[in-house]
Amino acid sequence: CMICYYAFAVVRSEKQLKIVFAGFAIGFLVLAAIGAGQFFGYDLYMTEFGQKLIIPSKYEEIMGNLRLSFEEGRVYGSLYNPNYVGVYCCMLCPLLLVLAITAKKKWHLAIYFALLTLAIICFVGAGSKTTLLLMIPCLIFLGIYYGRQHIKQMVVVFLFFIGMFILVNQYDGSGATLVDKTRKKKKKEVTATKVYALSD
């Protein structure tokens, strides 16, 4: 909210916009690094250093014994809620896709690919079915919007994004793949016909 308000009230030039984006990118890198660690089985908050960051000193006797309710491989970042991670990535992926499609230098493209990979790891590891479903219309919209101006770049970026998603989805350290979970959830919603009275 602060970034949105600042951008609306203060930003008037491309230089100012780049400063805002730099701060945004740094924040994402911190969250993504924590999330990627959790995806691959290294949870910062399960280490002594990580627990010192989040546990008040008066409760230091429980340091080292703290256990969270998430299974290994589940990404919750620093937000303690996988759904929040999914929503964050859902806002971030379209921005990174646009930046990658319109990148003018190869090293810029490499940076955006790296950030996209981290975003994919985070939203797949978070098990966010909503993010997965929302990315489909997003890709369609970007394809329509950039189809004529940046057709070659768009094809390269889309192939990279889809390829990385398939790779990360198959690895998914938390168990069943995100695609399987989403398919089962949609099937369950279609077959659920029982009606519950609100008063009950």
Side-chain angles (χ1 to χ4, degrees), residues 36-52:
Q38 291 166 348
F39 183 80
F40 291 110
Y42 178 79
D43 190 345
L44 172 68
Y45 298 115
M46 290 296 99
T47 65
E48 184 179 350
F49 172 74
Q51 292 187 15
K52 283 182 178 178

Side-chain angles (χ1 to χ4, degrees), residues 52-182:
K52 283 182 178 178
L53 290 176
I54 62 174
I55 299 176
S57 56
K58 63 179 178 178
Y59 299 119
E60 60 180 284
E61 68 277 2
I62 69 168
M63 288 184 188
N65 299 315
L66 185 66
R67 294 291 176 268
L68 304 180
S69 58
F70 303 111
E71 68 272 22
E72 186 175 343
R74 176 60 68 92
V75 175
Y76 60 91
S78 59
L79 307 174
Y80 199 64
N81 189 324
N83 288 329
Y84 293 168
V85 176
V87 170
Y88 185 71
C89 291
C90 195
M91 294 187 292
L92 189 73
C93 282
L95 173 63
L96 292 174
L97 283 166
V98 168
L99 290 170
I101 290 170
T102 58
K104 294 179 181 178
K105 297 180 180 178
K106 289 184 178 180
W107 67 273
H108 284 174
L109 185 62
I111 291 173
Y112 298 140
F113 276 174
L115 293 175
L116 268 172
T117 301
L118 288 172
I120 292 167
I121 288 172
C122 286
F123 91 71
V124 171
S128 177
K129 295 174 277 292
T130 303
T131 304
L132 175 60
L133 293 173
L134 286 173
M135 285 311 301
I136 296 170
C138 169
L139 291 173
I140 293 171
F141 175 79
L142 290 179
I144 294 170
Y145 190 81
Y146 289 106
R148 292 182 180 178
Q149 293 176 307
H150 303 277
I151 183 67
K152 291 181 180 179
Q153 298 95 315
M154 188 191 69
V155 170
V156 171
V157 171
F158 277 25
L159 287 176
F160 174 84
F161 181 84
I162 295 168
M164 284 306 304
F165 172 78
I166 292 170
L167 185 66
V168 174
N169 183 63
Q170 290 304 314
Y171 178 85
D172 192 2
S174 62
T177 66
L178 179 55
V179 171
D180 290 338
K181 293 175 188 173
T182 306

